[in-house]
Amino acid sequence: MLSRRHFIQKASGTIVFPSVIAPAYSRTKIIDGIASGDVTTNSAVIWGRTNRNARMLVEWGTTPKFDNTIRVAGPVVTSRSGYTGQVVINRLPPGQEIFYKVQFGEDQINQSRVGHLRTTDPSQDITFVFGGDQCGGGWGINATWGGLRLFKTMRETNPNFLIHLGDRIYSDHPILERASLPDGGVWNNIVTPKKSFIAESIEDYRGNYSYNFLDSHYRKFCEDVPTLSTWDDHEVTNNWWPGRELSRRIMFRKGYIQNDVDTLANNGRKAFFDFTPMQRFQSDPERIFRKISYGKNLDVFLLDPRSYRSPNNNNQQERPNEETSLFGKKQIYWLKSSLAQSRSLWKIIANPVPIAHTSKYQRPRYDKFSNGNDGPPLGREHEIADILSHIKKHKIQNIVWVSADVHYSAAHHFHPDRANFREFLPFWEFISGPFHTKPGRGTHYDKTFGAQRHFRTPRPPKGNFPPSAGYIYFGHGEINAKTGALTISIRGLKGENLYTKTISAAR
């Protein structure tokens, strides 16, 4: 790489004078990092960010030496996208290691960076990791502790991809230079101006996503492992819904100037798209829910639990109506039809909010599906009943749900013999996380759909405990190509198995 020295440099015996060395400020750089997403058997979306207007270029091949590569020219990135860009690479060979190089601008002096992903074919096992919730609770990147260490642990399992189930940022919670530990000690955070206060503008939200890339483990993970991303509430603000107006109490406590959540959501959504390598839909540019087909053994259905919901309420309606929406009619219609059309052996429904999680006491407003009433479906539970009865009617086998959000990990089995609503096939739901935030203490779950808890990670004492306390987890999945069995495990910070369940595939 050319340096910024003011003296001459030798290169292969040739004297090169400073006058012919391009100054560093004249070249484009890779800032934050590169990443890939929405990988299929033959395609992927490549992402990168630079420091100035420039055309994004991606070169890919099947060896790290970049022999016989294919070059794809992407968009000219500008400040309108925060200098981020995305390129779709197609016609990838199945069952191959793919190496890609990202550069902005044609000049050879411009900085480039190399990433990696893996396609699959039916003869190969599929491995993946899943979960969510990072850099919340005031716990940011502590270099002394080792940063976002769980991303190093996940990368070392060599997964085909990560299913990120939301709360990739906590835009409503600043990260300050120091945070107090429960034992009286101090947690030292890396800080940035944009992460030092709550996010309201597009640039604020972009700054939250950019913050994650300050961690070397996260940057390396994004270079090596594709991510299939959806979102939840903290990408905008806590427990938001369309049309909400923040109360004066919340505005004062959090420091918001803007009370219109739709304005916050528009800005947060723009930043989410800017920083997420993913399929986009020209006919529906705001759409996040989608299906990723990863060969004949797996389809992943990524859901959006925020964009189409009604205002949070007491969730006790006896019949579905305009007040009982969480996924919304449009998304549910798509999910039911897509599940019925799927020909993959396994169908994973990536639903950020767990089905049965509930609080111990009755609440005036519920943010999730369940309502603490173990009787027949009420409120938003009607949506789950509709989806489950459709699955049974069309005899759709081998469905597993994965979720995050609640800051603990768990394994729930749902069976009609234990349920008040019986029109469904038995299924499993696995909750995982958090990746890097305070632990959750909830232990209660709703039994309307016959949930039975087989595992839950240890409940912490009261208090805002840091990631170093050990309450951070991720989910790991593996589909055996020979037997078709799906094995899901819940793992800890060191990668240790805390719980494992193998599910045989129905043929």
Side-chain angles (χ1 to χ4, degrees):
M1 182 179 296
L2 295 174
S3 71
R4 299 181 64 184
R5 299 171 185 168
H6 297 290
F7 52 84
I8 62 174
Q9 177 183 14
K10 287 186 178 181
S12 302
T14 303
I15 301 297
V16 182
F17 289 90
S19 61
V20 299
I21 299 176
Y25 63 78
S26 69
R27 60 180 180 147
T28 62
K29 300 177 182 179
I30 303 290
I31 59 175
D32 291 346
I34 62 173
S36 63
D38 286 14
V39 60
T40 70
T41 53
N42 58 12
S43 68
V45 182
I46 308 300
W47 175 92
R49 190 183 189 204
T50 188
N51 61 324
R52 60 197 300 181
N53 293 0
R55 184 173 297 282
M56 183 177 179
L57 304 170
V58 175
E59 184 179 357
W60 67 268
T62 55
T63 71
K65 295 182 179 180
F66 286 87
D67 301 323
N68 301 317
T69 58
I70 295 175
R71 195 177 191 223
V72 182
V76 174
V77 304
T78 68
S79 60
R80 294 187 65 182
S81 65
Y83 300 106
T84 67
Q86 304 190 32
V87 171
V88 179
I89 54 175
N90 291 304
R91 300 180 182 178
L92 303 180
Q96 285 284 340
E97 305 287 333
I98 304 295
F99 299 88
Y100 63 91
K101 182 186 298 183
V102 177
Q103 180 176 308
F104 290 87
E106 296 279 358
D107 201 315
Q108 291 185 356
I109 69 169
N110 292 340
Q111 191 177 37
S112 63
R113 193 163 294 175
V114 174
H116 161 267
L117 58 90
R118 193 160 69 247
T119 59
T120 190
D121 66 31
S123 65
Q124 296 177 336
D125 296 345
I126 299 172
T127 62
F128 58 92
V129 288
F130 65 94
D133 313 305
Q134 65 197 69
C135 291
W139 309 114
I141 301 167
N142 182 338
T144 302
W145 183 68
L148 305 182
R149 288 167 54 179
L150 203 70
F151 281 91
K152 179 178 185 291
T153 304
M154 290 193 291
R155 182 175 61 83
E156 289 173 346
T157 68
N158 194 30
N160 290 75
F161 53 83
L162 161 69
I163 301 173
H164 203 301
L165 290 149
D167 293 345
R168 198 159 97 232
I169 61 172
Y170 279 71
S171 64
D172 55 339
H173 204 140
I175 289 176
L176 306 180
E177 187 174 358
R178 293 177 180 84
S180 298
L181 298 171
D183 63 3
V186 174
W187 175 277
N188 295 300
N189 289 312
I190 294 174
V191 295
T192 65
K194 291 297 184 184
K195 198 69 191 90
S196 299
F197 50 84
I198 56 97
E200 295 186 277
S201 71
I202 296 174
E203 284 301 319
D204 295 343
Y205 285 106
R206 287 171 178 157
N208 276 252
Y209 289 102
S210 180
Y211 180 83
N212 291 331
F213 283 98
L214 294 176
D215 179 75
S216 60
H217 301 314
Y218 183 79
R219 287 198 308 272
K220 184 62 175 173
F221 185 93
C222 290
E223 289 174 359
D224 282 352
V225 182
T227 300
L228 319 182
S229 297
T230 183
W231 72 348
D232 196 12
D233 55 336
H234 292 286
E235 281 86 355
V236 174
T237 190
N238 186 46
N239 291 353
W240 71 277
W241 63 81
R244 184 181 184 183
E245 292 188 358
L246 298 179
S247 68
R248 290 185 178 181
R249 180 181 64 85
I250 291 176
M251 292 178 68
F252 177 79
R253 181 166 56 88
K254 291 277 192 176
Y256 281 102
I257 297 173
Q258 174 65 252
N259 76 327
D260 178 23
V261 170
D262 284 351
T263 298
L264 298 178
N266 289 337
N267 292 340
R269 187 187 302 269
K270 178 67 167 65
F272 174 85
F273 284 137
D274 288 342
F275 277 80
T276 305
M278 61 176 284
Q279 296 176 13
R280 296 296 300 274
F281 302 89
Q282 292 185 356
S283 61
D284 191 358
E286 302 297 292
R287 174 176 158 184
I288 291 174
F289 67 86
R290 61 202 188 278
K291 181 184 79 170
I292 309 299
S293 295
Y294 202 67
K296 77 170 194 176
N297 285 330
L298 178 63
D299 279 345
V300 180
F301 301 83
L302 293 156
L303 302 186
D304 173 1
R306 290 290 152 188
S307 300
Y308 312 100
R309 64 167 57 205
S310 57
N312 292 349
N313 54 58
N314 67 0
N315 207 27
Q316 302 288 328
Q317 295 86 354
E318 293 185 358
R319 290 181 176 81
N321 57 40
E322 66 278 1
E323 296 180 346
T324 62
S325 173
L326 194 146
F327 288 145
K329 293 180 180 179
K330 172 182 174 181
Q331 186 170 195
I332 290 176
Y333 176 82
W334 166 85
L335 177 62
K336 292 195 298 185
S337 60
S338 297
L339 285 171
Q341 294 167 12
S342 174
R343 295 297 174 262
S344 289
L345 180 63
W346 286 98
K347 297 93 178 166
I348 291 181
I349 300 177
N351 167 34
V353 292
I355 293 172
H357 172 89
T358 192
S359 59
K360 181 178 180 180
Y361 303 105
Q362 289 288 325
R363 291 186 171 186
R365 285 198 308 222
Y366 286 87
D367 186 64
K368 300 176 179 56
F369 288 103
S370 61
N371 49 30
N373 185 326
D374 294 338
L378 298 172
R380 289 168 168 164
E381 292 173 334
H382 291 299
E383 288 194 340
I384 295 296
D386 182 27
I387 294 168
L388 296 182
S389 61
H390 171 85
I391 290 169
K392 179 180 179 180
K393 177 181 178 181
H394 291 271
K395 301 178 182 178
I396 306 170
Q397 301 283 356
N398 304 324
I399 292 178
V400 167
W401 297 64
V402 294
S403 62
D405 180 58
V406 290
H407 297 198
Y408 63 79
S409 294
H412 291 163
H413 185 251
F414 296 77
H415 200 287
D417 290 350
R418 297 187 296 264
N420 272 285
F421 176 81
R422 295 175 177 270
E423 290 302 309
F424 69 95
L425 302 174
F427 68 95
W428 284 87
E429 178 192 54
F430 298 94
I431 305 169
S432 193
F435 286 165
H436 190 91
T437 185
K438 65 180 181 180
R441 302 186 73 247
T443 59
H444 290 76
Y445 57 99
D446 191 297
K447 300 179 178 64
T448 292
F449 299 105
Q452 183 178 73
R453 178 168 287 168
H454 286 240
F455 171 77
R456 189 210 186 276
T457 46
R459 189 182 192 223
K462 287 186 178 180
N464 182 10
F465 285 86
S468 57
Y471 298 102
I472 55 176
Y473 313 97
F474 68 98
H476 183 275
E478 180 174 0
I479 298 175
N480 187 295
K482 292 183 179 179
T483 67
L486 170 63
T487 299
I488 299 286
S489 59
I490 303 298
R491 303 192 181 188
L493 176 59
K494 297 180 180 179
E496 69 277 19
N497 273 3
L498 305 176
Y499 171 84
T500 299
K501 176 64 183 180
T502 298
I503 311 169
S504 298
R507 300 281 187 171

